[in-house]
Amino acid sequence: MSGTTLLINLAGAIALLLWGSHMISTALQRGFGTPLRNWMGRHLTNRWTALLSGVGITGILQSSTAVSMMATSFTAAGTLSLAPALAVMLGANIGSTLVVQLMSFNTEIAIPLLILAGFVVFKLRDHSNFESVGCALIGLGLMLLALHMLGSTLGEIETTPVFHAVMQGLEGDVLIALLVALMLTLICHSSVAIILLIASLAGTGAISPATAMVLVLGANIGGALPPVLNAGSAVARRLPIGNLMVRLSGCALALLLLPLLTNMAAKTALSTPQLVVWFHTAFSAALALLFIGLTAPMARMLERVFPEEERVGDPGMPMYLDDAGLEVAYIGLSNSVRESLRAADMLTIMLDRLLVLFVTQEKQAADEIRHLDQSVDLLSAAVRAYLADIGQDGLNDADADRSQEILMFIINFEHAGDILSSNLTQLATRRARRGELFNDFELNNIRLLHAEILTSLRLGIAAFMGEDLSAAHQLVQRKETIRQLEASASREHFKNLRDDKNTWAESGDIFQRVLRDYRRVHHHIAAVAYPVIDRLGDKEPLFIDPPAEV
């Protein structure tokens, strides 16, 4: 076979190995990433639990990079402390070695069985979880097939002079071997694939045990680099840089002890390919034991070195919509939720400033409301565009439903903000231009409606954020309370107009329109409950009326 043909076969085998790894990772993330992420967010109570969680979730997802992105999203949001997140990464490094261990037991009969089983499961039922498991099984079969192809191709390549020249260039040059493995891992974004490639090379007998271990160290460093390069903020850099520091420290120590490690390896009965696999596992396990007690001081140091950035400028500019979430659906949805909650915070401030405007007629309050409304509109447009781009590999059913919930939440809050800015603010300032104030009766009813709407706003956020079915039902039921408050205030106001002939008709019309627009604001807030009720299930069907037009 010609050298060109061998290189094409080698490149194809490596590409198939990477594609199989990609299929497994993306399929399992799409099917089970969200529940795993939610579980991880609720159960990381201490460093040992975090360590075991990292091992287990990485073993399932077969991607320490995916776990790193999960943990980084938690730490950036402030829902997970940096110390347990560092412990998660120590466990994730161990978990990725389990994948290598599994791949090392390569049997030819497993290849067709896995691909056949994956196809059957994929077609068994039209459900995203079945499809994800089927794709993962096919990906595993493709990885085993790629390893079989690699072994055959490398067996023929090892007799060529060029191959021996390249391998001799790596022998004895620690820095070159380290950089080669680092760059290959960085380019391929898969330390698992590169470790398996190193094991295949070791099987040809072309590299010594010492060089094989150096290549493994380089792959470990390269595997920690992509999350660092993809981090978008100082807070997001803390965890991946902490993980990189751990691996660099371990590699430096291992290189110092390389002669001793080589002597120890010579005394074992392991072949060089087995040595690659077990050294990779031992390296990650040793790092976990060495650094598990240092996660707290490391976290404090990283927080000092990478302080949270002060954000200035328009609050409507998105803060969390990074590119990493476009590739991994559950991270993108989490980012969108965080931005949507920022819009809810701005709506709360608008409501508070509106009440001040009704009471004091301050022009500054009206300007603040209009500026915040523009920010909500800007943020809403960014979230909608981001949601449209999430899930380049597709969304499972649950993630697609959650995406619609987020979309409905941000759209309804945008409409509520428009009513506050364009309608209620104008009604309040119209009285001020005429030199009139709202009387005590009007202000008391406005305050009452205002308090009820704030309560509904909190219920809406709880239903949306916690996917709380009880809060969603309460929110829908409160629509009748708001209707009764509006009707009662309107009747009493008309009675006062009949009794007080000096009251201007236009003044009475302004108050009636204020009552109506407050109810419209509440209508949009209550609308966020319906997607939650539809998705989580409702035994007794509710009458769902459409949101009011703006």
Side-chain angles (χ1 to χ4, degrees), residues 261-274:
L261 294 173
T262 304
N263 291 333
M264 292 175 60
K267 296 178 182 178
T268 66
L270 297 175
S271 64
T272 307
Q274 292 173 328

Side-chain angles (χ1 to χ4, degrees), residues 233-540:
S233 65
V235 175
R237 292 188 195 101
R238 292 172 181 170
L239 179 59
I241 286 182
N243 182 46
L244 178 61
M245 289 171 56
V246 168
R247 295 204 193 185
L248 285 172
S249 302
C251 288
L253 181 60
L255 289 174
L256 290 175
L257 300 175
L258 188 60
L260 177 61
L261 294 173
T262 304
N263 291 333
M264 292 175 60
K267 296 178 182 178
T268 66
L270 297 175
S271 64
T272 307
Q274 292 173 328
L275 175 64
V276 169
V277 173
W278 285 105
F279 176 70
H280 181 49
T281 302
F283 177 75
S284 296
L287 287 183
L289 292 175
L290 286 173
F291 285 93
I292 189 66
L294 301 175
T295 52
M298 278 190 65
R300 290 192 293 269
M301 182 269 292
L302 289 166
E303 288 167 354
R304 286 195 299 269
V305 175
F306 299 98
E308 188 167 359
E309 300 169 348
E310 293 186 8
R311 298 185 181 272
V312 295
D314 194 335
M317 294 299 294
M319 297 167 56
Y320 306 114
L321 304 182
D322 55 45
D323 292 340
L326 298 178
E327 298 180 2
V328 185
Y330 51 80
I331 294 178
L333 294 176
S334 175
N335 293 341
S336 301
V337 167
R338 293 164 68 190
E339 294 291 4
S340 300
L341 292 178
R342 289 184 61 226
D345 290 340
M346 285 188 272
L347 188 68
T348 303
I349 297 173
M350 291 173 69
L351 282 166
D352 291 341
R353 300 308 296 160
L354 181 65
L355 187 59
V356 171
L357 184 61
F358 278 124
V359 175
T360 66
Q361 303 292 314
E362 290 182 8
K363 183 178 183 300
Q364 182 181 358
D367 293 338
E368 290 180 16
I369 292 170
R370 293 189 182 97
H371 178 68
L372 283 170
D373 179 52
Q374 293 173 356
S375 298
V376 171
D377 291 345
L378 180 63
L379 189 58
S380 174
V383 171
R384 294 198 306 271
Y386 190 76
L387 285 172
D389 293 334
I390 286 178
Q392 298 175 359
D393 294 307
L395 296 176
N396 64 24
D397 296 339
D399 286 343
D401 290 340
R402 185 58 170 163
S403 178
Q404 286 300 309
E405 288 177 19
I406 299 169
L407 186 63
M408 291 298 297
F409 182 91
I410 196 68
I411 288 175
N412 276 289
F413 273 46
E414 180 185 1
H415 289 338
D418 290 340
I419 297 171
L420 293 176
S421 174
S422 302
N423 297 72
L424 285 166
T425 299
Q426 290 183 8
L427 292 173
T429 54
R430 185 180 299 179
R431 280 278 186 95
R433 287 196 298 268
R434 292 173 48 187
E436 297 178 2
L437 297 175
F438 288 87
N439 59 41
D440 291 341
F441 168 80
E442 292 170 333
L443 287 177
N444 286 338
N445 280 279
I446 288 173
R447 287 192 181 98
L448 184 58
L449 272 172
H450 187 88
E452 292 296 331
I453 286 178
L454 285 177
T455 300
S456 293
L457 181 60
R458 288 190 288 270
L459 280 172
I461 293 172
F464 170 71
M465 183 67 180
E467 303 180 61
D468 189 334
L469 186 59
S470 174
H473 281 302
Q474 292 180 55
L475 181 56
V476 172
Q477 292 164 4
R478 287 179 58 81
K479 292 178 66 176
E480 177 62 20
T481 302
I482 297 297
R483 189 197 67 78
Q484 291 177 0
L485 285 174
E486 180 199 13
S488 175
S490 180
R491 286 194 301 269
E492 188 67 23
H493 186 254
F494 277 121
K495 180 177 180 297
N496 292 340
L497 286 178
R498 288 194 300 269
D499 296 341
D500 185 2
K501 304 300 183 182
N502 295 323
T503 303
W504 284 26
E506 185 179 354
S507 299
D509 178 62
I510 288 175
F511 179 66
Q512 292 293 329
R513 293 172 66 183
V514 167
L515 294 177
R516 180 203 63 184
D517 287 337
Y518 258 118
R519 185 182 175 190
R520 290 173 64 204
V521 170
H522 185 270
H523 200 98
H524 283 294
I525 293 173
V528 307
Y530 295 122
V532 177
I533 293 173
D534 289 341
R535 184 162 68 88
L536 298 183
D538 184 31
K539 295 180 181 178
E540 297 181 3

Side-chain angles (χ1 to χ4, degrees), residues 53-85:
S53 298
V55 174
I57 295 177
T58 307
I60 294 172
L61 296 183
Q62 302 203 16
S63 173
S64 59
T65 302
V67 177
S68 175
M69 294 170 71
M70 279 189 197
T72 298
S73 69
F74 279 124
T75 54
T79 55
L80 176 63
S81 299
L82 186 55

